[in-house]
Amino acid sequence: YILLTFIIVLQACRSTIKVYSEHDRKIDFSQYKTFDFYEIKEEHLSLKEVNRRRLAMAIELELGMKGIKRNVNDPDLLVNLYSFINRKERVSSTESSSGLGYYGAASPYGTSIGVSVSPPRSYSSYYTKGTVTLHLVDRKKNTLVLEGMAEVDASEADDADRIINYAVKKIFKPIPYAK
């Protein structure tokens, strides 16, 4: 039972976040030793301040474990971030149904026949979809070397640290860890 519960919990966690990552396969990431962030403009990053800091710290930690340290003076790579928060509506509906039945066969009042008809119903719920896009750019060549995107149902995102760390780790997966 414990293993089954663990598998169900993992599946549930995985369904709330989707992470995509693409990189230039010709790039030798071992040539990069430093990074910094592009100037992050408020209108490009619609995250709460605490989540911006979490995201920056997760990026710095993950790249650091891969041997790429932050250097604001002369970085090899620049990290560019964008985020969007959208409120969406999820609509589901039921079809109309009808039925024919009778009751009272053993009743002293006789037998009755009834027809029931129920109209179609629709249900709507609202959720918040958050998307963060991350670009890793070779500063000297001004070329994109890695692009990643994470989508999360933010209305279910109770553990922002776990979600942000998971997304950053998945986005930077193509970069090998430092030896």
Side-chain angles (χ1 to χ4, degrees):
Y1 292 113
I2 294 173
L3 180 61
L4 181 61
T5 304
F6 181 70
I7 291 170
I8 291 170
V9 167
L10 277 179
Q11 290 295 341
C13 290
R14 201 177 331 181
S15 66
T16 61
I17 185 167
K18 295 177 185 172
V19 180
Y20 310 93
S21 183
E22 186 61 44
H23 68 286
D24 184 344
R25 300 195 191 287
K26 298 175 199 163
I27 296 293
D28 175 17
F29 284 104
S30 67
Q31 69 180 317
Y32 301 116
K33 302 297 178 202
T34 59
F35 83 96
D36 194 18
F37 293 94
Y38 271 108
E39 179 185 345
I40 298 173
K41 297 181 180 175
E42 190 73 28
E43 63 269 15
H44 293 167
L45 206 55
S46 57
L47 295 172
K48 294 177 183 175
E49 179 63 32
V50 68
N51 287 336
R52 279 186 222 153
R53 285 194 305 265
R54 285 179 176 141
L55 183 58
M57 287 179 63
I59 290 169
E60 190 167 348
L61 180 66
E62 188 65 22
L63 286 177
M65 290 190 306
K66 293 177 182 270
I68 304 171
K69 304 293 181 193
R70 186 162 184 198
N71 179 340
V72 296
N73 296 324
D74 188 29
D76 298 325
L77 296 168
L78 291 172
V79 177
N80 201 9
L81 299 170
Y82 295 95
S83 72
F84 305 96
I85 305 292
N86 295 319
R87 184 172 160 91
K88 300 207 174 206
E89 181 178 16
R90 185 178 295 129
V91 178
S92 59
S93 62
T94 61
E95 295 182 18
S96 62
S97 62
S98 60
L100 177 64
Y102 71 95
Y103 63 92
S107 164
Y109 306 109
T111 304
S112 297
I113 297 177
V115 176
S116 85
V117 177
S118 67
R121 293 184 180 174
S122 65
Y123 305 94
S124 61
S125 61
Y126 294 92
Y127 65 99
T128 304
K129 172 92 98 190
T131 305
V132 173
T133 303
L134 184 148
H135 294 146
L136 202 54
V137 176
D138 182 313
R139 187 179 68 87
K140 292 179 177 104
K141 296 177 186 173
N142 199 29
T143 57
L144 183 67
V145 296
L146 183 139
E147 178 178 41
M149 182 174 68
E151 293 179 344
V152 64
D153 182 349
S155 54
E156 296 179 10
D158 292 336
D159 188 2
D161 279 326
R162 181 188 60 80
I163 291 170
I164 289 170
N165 291 333
Y166 171 80
V168 168
K169 187 176 282 299
K170 289 273 291 191
I171 287 171
F172 289 138
K173 187 176 181 181
I175 301 174
Y177 284 97
K179 295 177 182 176

